[in-house]
Amino acid sequence: MYILQLVIAGLQQGGIIALLSMGLALMFGVLRLVNFAQADFMMLGMYGVIVLGAELHTNFVVSSILLALPAFIVGMLVYQLVIRQVAKAKLASAPEHAQLLATLGLSLVLQNGSEMIWGATPRALPSSRSLQVWHLGGLIIDQPRTIGFAIAVLLGVAMLWTLRHTHVGRAVRAAASDRDAASYVGINVRRAYIVTFGISILLSVIVGGILVTYYPVTPQTGNDFILLMFTAVIMGGLGNVMGAMAAGLILGLVQSLSQLVIPLQLNTAAVFGLFLLLMLVRPQGIFGEVTRL
Amino acid sequence: MIEIDDLSVSYGAVPALAGVSLTIGVNEFVAIIGPNGAGKTTLLKSISNVVTWKSGDIRLDGRSIRGRDAWDIARAGVAHVPEGRRVFGQMTVEENLRIGAMSARADPKLMQFIYDLFPNLATRRRSRAITLSGGEQQMLAIGRALMSRPRLLMLDEPSMGLAPALVEQVFAHINKLFESSELSVLLIEQRATEALEASQRCYVLERGRVAMNGPSEKLLMDPAIQSTYLGVAARG
């Protein structure tokens, strides 16, 4: 029973990491961009839900939905006004390097900006809801985490489906696969990039909306997750969205189940231990493929 | 439908094209031959506007394409089959073809036409493109371009890396296409014989300049062409 309890907790945590990592993987796969600010947009989503809850008395689901469109637009604007300009300015020998630094700078701006507005004290949703549980047999199932997990899985599957079966999804994958060849068949690659960036930011913000129901937020909360996100993206196979989803779930499970054998404080060590092992055995990641030049 | 006027392109300090002028008419089959590094690929990339020109102009239907995006030119009916095929490897054959039908000009019924034209693709429609043979990938790249129902099909070295038997097959397909539809073709080839036999008119590109041009039949007979490009030893 204890193990089952841990599995449930692991899946709940893994679902969050999975969805976060999918956004990051999508962005890397399509734009070849490593976005260090990805988790900070999640942090903004967390504050957003707290603020909306206080002002409009909306619950976290409604607040997240309200935040989705602004998040998408902000994402597109950030790409247009920051990332693309940096690439155009030829600040470094390779545009990727300049973009990398730009996202790092963006991360600092978002964190410090949030600290200016909301201060450094941790904040949480003031609802008693975060303590509500279901009793199922001998199991105690945390309600907000379960609802959050369900939303995360739904969104993740919806995203995979969109990528695979829609016109826009195919265009985005083609742009990811070969930028020039995609434009030769009439795909507006720049638009595909903008939309991808917007969707990726949207996912982060929504995850923030889910997470804040049980995880207090500070301006630096993103830092708790960014390393796990990158780990999941690399484990899944760089740029592979489905791989990132699977790896995110695995990471959550490992983090949770590791306390069966090692002290709880070492659960992060278990995650990175597994990561190191996997990189030794399968450096291309779970779903990654070896590319030969 | 395409007019190129005194076009010059450089990569940094290295000139790739130095004052090239040429035209491609409606329903005309034009070939460009020349050695490696003569600027053939750069010429196609200029028409798709993915390289920056130093001077000169390219007009599509009488209008300059300066400042137009590659995807926009593609949607205007110029299909570019790039060197090295560049199929979307992780996507299936069918997905590659559907991607080709992005433009508003596209006709969904075209897919069956392409499967009839290249039966190999039909049998492998669910396979990922990366698993296809070189010849099949070339067919797929051409098929993908045709899905947009182009007015001009630009082919960059379709014979590259293919076995001789396959090269013949590819050229036979291109000819069949040209004869059966209202299509202009711009073919770039190192295999001069095949290119000259297939095309109506030909330009010889050397070190970024047009060294010679004329009807392909005539160039095929030209002693200078024969000795340089066709591997026919000059007599006497």
Side-chain angles (χ1 to χ4, degrees):
Chain A
M1 207 46 111
Y2 180 54
I3 293 182
L4 205 55
Q5 189 75 56
L6 290 181
V7 167
I8 290 169
L11 281 177
Q12 286 167 338
Q13 176 75 355
I16 295 290
I17 301 169
L19 195 58
L20 275 172
S21 311
M22 285 172 84
L24 196 64
L26 180 73
M27 196 178 281
F28 182 81
V30 177
L31 286 88
R32 300 281 133 193
L33 173 66
V34 178
N35 184 13
F36 280 115
Q38 191 80 6
D40 298 307
F41 284 100
M42 176 199 78
M43 174 271 293
L44 287 184
M46 296 172 82
Y47 278 114
V49 166
I50 290 178
V51 169
L52 282 180
E55 300 288 329
L56 305 175
H57 307 291
T58 47
N59 68 24
F60 79 97
V61 177
V62 176
S63 301
S64 298
I65 294 169
L66 286 177
L67 285 172
L69 186 64
F72 183 56
I73 293 169
V74 166
M76 294 195 294
L77 284 176
V78 165
Y79 180 75
Q80 250 333 46
L81 301 177
V82 182
I83 308 298
R84 214 166 94 74
Q85 300 310 317
V86 170
K88 270 203 295 198
K90 300 197 171 80
L91 294 171
S93 52
E96 292 85 4
H97 299 170
Q99 289 180 335
L100 191 90
L101 289 176
T103 67
L104 211 53
L106 191 63
S107 165
L108 289 175
V109 169
L110 292 180
Q111 289 189 13
N112 290 298
S114 303
E115 194 157 332
M116 254 172 71
I117 301 171
W118 294 296
T121 332
R123 297 219 192 173
L125 265 191
S127 87
S128 54
R129 199 192 174 90
S130 57
L131 298 173
Q132 285 174 357
V133 292
W134 285 306
H135 292 276
L136 203 79
L139 292 175
I140 298 166
I141 298 172
D142 189 301
Q143 278 188 18
R145 284 181 197 240
T146 308
I147 296 169
F149 174 75
I151 297 174
V153 169
L154 263 177
L155 271 177
V157 170
M159 185 163 105
L160 286 176
W161 187 88
T162 306
L163 279 175
R164 195 151 295 277
H165 295 291
T166 66
H167 209 57
V168 175
R170 277 192 295 267
V172 165
R173 280 158 65 212
S177 160
D178 188 327
R179 192 197 161 118
D180 285 338
S183 58
Y184 290 159
V185 293
I187 292 169
N188 186 342
V189 175
R190 199 187 311 148
R191 192 190 295 161
Y193 282 8
I194 296 174
V195 168
T196 302
F197 203 95
I199 289 176
S200 177
I201 297 304
L202 181 153
L203 286 177
S204 270
V205 168
I206 301 263
V207 172
I210 298 169
L211 189 66
V212 75
T213 56
Y214 59 86
Y215 199 97
V217 55
T218 74
Q220 278 74 40
T221 296
N223 296 346
D224 304 349
F225 287 84
I226 191 78
L227 211 54
L228 277 176
M229 287 160 65
F230 277 114
T231 309
V233 168
I234 296 167
M235 268 177 75
L238 273 178
N240 188 315
V241 178
M242 181 127 79
M245 187 182 194
L249 287 170
I250 292 172
L251 286 190
L253 281 175
V254 169
Q255 227 179 13
S256 174
L257 288 173
S258 64
Q259 50 190 291
L260 287 173
V261 278
I262 54 174
L264 180 61
Q265 294 88 331
L266 282 176
N267 66 6
T268 312
V271 165
F272 291 111
L274 173 80
F275 176 61
L276 276 179
L277 268 178
L278 185 83
M279 286 299 104
L280 283 174
V281 185
R282 211 178 146 74
Q284 71 272 36
I286 303 170
F287 285 80
E289 275 174 50
V290 182
T291 44
R292 293 180 183 85
L293 294 176
Chain B
M1 66 177 291
I2 296 264
E3 292 136 42
I4 300 180
D5 241 359
D6 199 24
L7 183 76
S8 296
V9 176
S10 329
Y11 297 118
V14 187
L17 293 176
V20 169
S21 297
L22 63 83
T23 60
I24 304 151
V26 172
N27 209 1
E28 193 180 23
F29 194 146
V30 175
I32 297 175
I33 61 173
N36 253 336
K40 304 190 297 295
T41 295
T42 304
L43 188 70
L44 282 205
K45 286 187 173 171
S46 306
I47 299 175
S48 281
N49 216 353
V50 291
V51 294
T52 336
W53 337 320
K54 221 167 61 182
S55 61
D57 200 12
I58 300 177
R59 284 186 299 277
L60 169 64
D61 303 322
R63 273 174 48 223
S64 171
I65 62 164
R66 187 174 284 276
R68 277 178 85 172
D69 289 318
W71 62 268
D72 188 30
I73 293 168
R75 289 190 183 197
V78 178
H80 186 159
V81 181
E83 190 175 6
R85 309 182 267 273
R86 310 275 287 266
V87 293
F88 304 121
Q90 298 302 322
M91 302 169 80
T92 64
V93 167
E94 188 137 325
E95 282 180 322
N96 266 273
L97 292 179
R98 292 177 83 162
I99 281 285
M102 278 283 164
S103 111
R105 303 175 45 79
D107 178 354
K109 276 176 284 186
L110 264 175
M111 195 172 296
Q112 196 49 52
F113 166 77
I114 286 161
Y115 283 146
D116 291 341
L117 187 68
F118 306 124
N120 279 12
L121 295 185
T123 56
R124 305 210 52 189
R125 63 176 80 191
R126 305 239 167 270
S127 312
R128 285 188 308 160
I130 202 167
T131 64
L132 302 184
S133 73
E136 288 168 335
Q137 283 189 18
Q138 188 62 58
M139 309 285 177
L140 181 57
I142 296 173
R144 183 179 67 184
L146 290 175
M147 282 298 287
S148 63
R149 211 159 53 82
R151 293 183 295 146
L152 171 65
L153 180 65
M154 305 200 292
L155 301 156
D156 195 344
E157 303 260 6
S159 71
M160 198 173 69
L162 299 187
L166 271 175
V167 173
E168 239 170 76
Q169 207 186 333
V170 168
F171 274 98
H173 281 308
I174 295 171
N175 267 323
K176 195 155 79 179
L177 267 172
F178 176 66
E179 280 158 17
S180 65
S181 54
E182 296 274 300
L183 184 71
S184 304
V185 177
L186 176 58
L187 170 70
I188 282 185
E189 258 305 332
Q190 278 198 61
R191 291 175 179 265
T193 318
E194 287 89 343
L196 283 170
E197 279 169 355
S199 60
Q200 297 169 327
R201 225 149 45 76
C202 179
Y203 292 83
V204 182
L205 216 55
E206 280 173 9
R207 269 166 293 160
R209 292 171 199 281
V210 176
M212 221 185 284
N213 75 90
S216 303
E217 286 175 13
K218 235 168 99 190
L219 290 187
L220 209 46
M221 293 297 141
D222 189 291
I225 297 279
Q226 286 187 341
S227 64
T228 320
Y229 296 109
L230 305 180
V232 180
R235 271 183 221 148

